[in-house]
Amino acid sequence: MSRIRKIAFEEHFSAVGFGDYSQAFVSQIAPQVAAELNARLSDFGAMRLQEMDKAGIDYVILSQTGPGVQVEPDTAVAIARARENNDFLAAQVARNPERFGGFATLPMQDPQAAADELERAVKVLGFKGALVNGHTNGVYYDGPAYDIFWERMQALDVPLYLHPFDAYGPTHSYSGHPEIAGATWGWGVETATHALRLLFGGVFDRFPGLKVILGHMGEGLPFQRWRFDSRFAVYPCGVKLKRQPSEYIGTNIVITTSGVCSAGALMGAIAEMGPQAVMFSVDYPYESSSIAADFIEQAPMDDATRALVCHGNAERLFKL
């Protein structure tokens, strides 16, 4: 079967020694499933490439599976391990640069160090941006301490993929219901909330060139754009923005389809944000590349829109 060309960039690996950080991601998965995931996360050869070829994915940007160094309590260790991870990934990319690119792991415990490591990863290692797994030990990135980081990211003109992780501390509404606290629901709420902190915290007003990517069909944000404008007008709480909240979603905040293979959701997101703000991805190996490819090829889009979503928007964003 002939496939349309695709680029994907919520596609994960795991470096040696990073498995301890990932226990929260796999602790509730059946052991045999976790073992298969770990095998796929550590593979940069035949298994990964066969899945890509089968799905028509020409190129992937790889990122360390979560939560990575975001949960490291020692800042010096986080800085060292982020550098170690990025060097490891750069070596894998160098073996097959036509198929693989890299997202940097960043020690967000220290905004200056994170900015410096991002610059090294982009300028020296050739990475396409960074993926950060949510908050760092309960610290979010909307405060003025992180302006030094956002300024550097804007200057480098690369995006940040804001990837889910657990909320910080127990959330009462999930008590007794672990099935909704993680990937099924809680991670998306947590990540969408972090993105809204950036938006309402004025990060995009201070750094209008920033691009933040949200997976999983935008963690629900595209479908609340109208309500954000309506309710913020009534309850601004002293916050002032240069634009309507909805205007940042589709410009500064762009999304991927990773993990949501629903034609209705896809067409709604495109209708809300425009076809240039929505991009294909899989969330490999946690989701199926073949299912994602079938979905995007069968969704009710015209050919021009499908080409943008499958590869054109990514080519523009990452200068491929």
Side-chain angles (χ1 to χ4, degrees):
M1 181 176 63
S2 177
R3 292 282 200 184
I4 187 172
R5 177 172 185 257
K6 300 174 197 69
I7 294 168
F9 50 95
E10 190 183 328
E11 320 307 317
H12 304 297
F13 75 95
S14 190
V16 175
F18 273 67
D20 289 347
Y21 290 140
S22 302
Q23 286 307 303
F25 268 43
V26 299
S27 61
Q28 295 182 353
I29 299 175
Q32 67 272 21
V33 177
E36 182 178 346
L37 284 172
N38 287 330
R40 290 180 179 274
L41 286 166
S42 62
D43 170 66
F44 295 87
M47 191 164 18
R48 189 181 294 268
L49 290 168
Q50 285 170 6
E51 290 288 323
M52 290 170 60
D53 291 342
K54 185 179 176 183
I57 299 171
D58 281 354
Y59 185 79
V60 294
I61 300 174
L62 300 171
S63 53
Q64 168 63 42
T65 195
V69 299
Q70 263 63 74
V71 295
E72 173 56 58
D74 186 317
T75 297
V77 171
I79 292 169
R81 299 223 69 193
R83 187 180 182 96
E84 166 196 323
N85 190 286
N86 293 332
D87 287 342
F88 171 83
L89 178 56
Q92 307 309 312
V93 170
R95 291 165 52 198
N96 201 346
E98 292 186 356
R99 305 300 300 275
F100 297 154
F103 274 147
T105 290
L106 296 179
M108 300 297 283
Q109 291 85 343
D110 181 330
Q112 178 71 61
D116 291 343
E117 181 59 15
L118 174 66
E119 182 163 352
R120 185 184 80 91
V122 172
K123 289 189 172 180
V124 178
L125 303 181
F127 283 7
K128 304 303 182 184
L131 183 143
V132 168
N133 293 289
H135 62 83
T136 296
N137 299 313
V139 176
Y140 296 88
Y141 313 133
D142 53 299
Y146 283 90
D147 279 3
I148 190 170
F149 170 77
W150 295 120
E151 182 178 33
R152 190 80 58 90
M153 177 155 264
Q154 179 176 259
L156 291 166
D157 194 23
V158 294
L160 178 84
Y161 204 120
L162 187 61
H163 187 271
F165 186 50
D166 293 339
Y168 184 69
T171 302
H172 180 65
S173 59
Y174 301 147
S175 61
H177 285 277
E179 74 279 7
I180 62 172
T184 301
W185 177 250
W187 287 357
V189 173
E190 168 68 20
T191 307
T193 302
H194 194 161
L196 290 177
R197 289 181 65 116
L198 301 179
L199 192 164
F200 288 105
V203 172
F204 302 127
D205 283 348
R206 298 195 295 278
F207 305 101
L210 283 179
K211 288 287 192 295
V212 171
I213 306 164
L214 299 179
H216 316 113
M217 213 64 80
E219 314 290 5
L221 292 188
F223 310 103
Q224 295 291 323
R225 290 173 72 247
W226 191 94
R227 183 165 176 81
F228 294 145
D229 292 351
S230 168
R231 295 304 86 198
F232 180 61
V234 180
Y235 307 107
C237 300
V239 172
K240 294 183 179 179
L241 296 174
K242 293 181 180 178
R243 296 188 283 163
Q244 292 269 72
S246 64
E247 295 180 57
Y248 300 90
I249 302 171
T251 55
N252 299 104
I253 295 173
V254 295
I255 73 169
T256 76
T257 63
S258 64
V260 180
C261 296
S262 160
L266 172 64
M267 301 317 294
I270 290 172
E272 280 290 334
M273 304 172 67
Q276 295 195 336
V278 182
M279 293 167 281
F280 172 79
S281 281
V282 176
D283 204 351
Y284 179 89
Y286 301 99
E287 300 281 356
S288 163
S289 299
S290 294
I291 290 173
D294 289 344
F295 147 69
I296 207 69
E297 292 185 357
Q298 295 166 13
M301 294 180 284
D302 61 62
D303 290 344
T305 300
R306 198 181 322 273
L308 282 175
V309 172
C310 285
H311 61 87
N313 291 332
E315 289 164 347
R316 184 184 71 253
L317 180 62
F318 298 112
K319 307 177 188 67
L320 299 176

